[in-house]
Amino acid sequence: MTVPEVEARDVPADAFLLDVREREEWVAGHAPEAVHIPMTEIQGRVDEVPADRKVYVVCRVGGRSYQVAAWLNHLGREAVNVGGGMQSWEGASRPMVSETGRPPFVA
């Protein structure tokens, strides 16, 4: 199955952004409006992902998000992989926040 992909700089500001990284990665730095559901939990929490709009899936570099996007598409959802993941997000100077009180970074 081919999974659509978009560059981090081209993710719309009002997109539903699903971050599938692990908790430690999320805490270090993430997009402010992202929804966090780790890849290891996605099957049990899929109902938290909207079925009526496009979902942009992101991880650290794009591998895990590709797998989750492929699975969501297999379920009939419309999912797009964010190419290069949060590393590309940071490289494109897209906004980031952390949960630590320190400057955000991609862990």
Side-chain angles (χ1 to χ4, degrees):
M1 170 180 278
T2 302
V3 175
E5 189 166 282
V6 67
E7 294 297 318
R9 70 178 177 274
D10 297 326
V11 174
D14 63 346
F16 185 92
L17 183 63
L18 175 63
D19 190 322
V20 297
R21 296 176 300 149
E22 294 302 316
R23 184 178 182 336
E24 301 78 33
E25 294 170 291
W26 168 266
V27 167
H30 58 86
E33 303 302 322
V35 172
H36 182 229
I37 303 176
M39 180 180 180
T40 56
E41 299 176 17
I42 191 68
Q43 286 184 328
R45 296 178 60 189
V46 71
D47 289 341
E48 297 174 42
V49 179
D52 60 347
R53 65 186 288 203
K54 189 179 291 185
V55 175
Y56 293 82
V57 188
V58 68
C59 65
R60 185 169 190 259
V61 295
R64 289 172 285 178
S65 55
Y66 181 93
Q67 292 176 26
V68 171
W71 181 73
L72 289 169
N73 286 328
H74 177 74
L75 294 179
R77 308 290 180 95
E78 186 179 3
V80 177
N81 186 44
V82 178
M86 286 303 295
Q87 285 186 337
S88 291
W89 187 274
E90 184 178 47
S93 299
R94 298 291 304 258
M96 288 177 55
V97 295
S98 76
E99 304 293 315
T100 65
R102 289 185 239 123
F105 68 95
V106 178

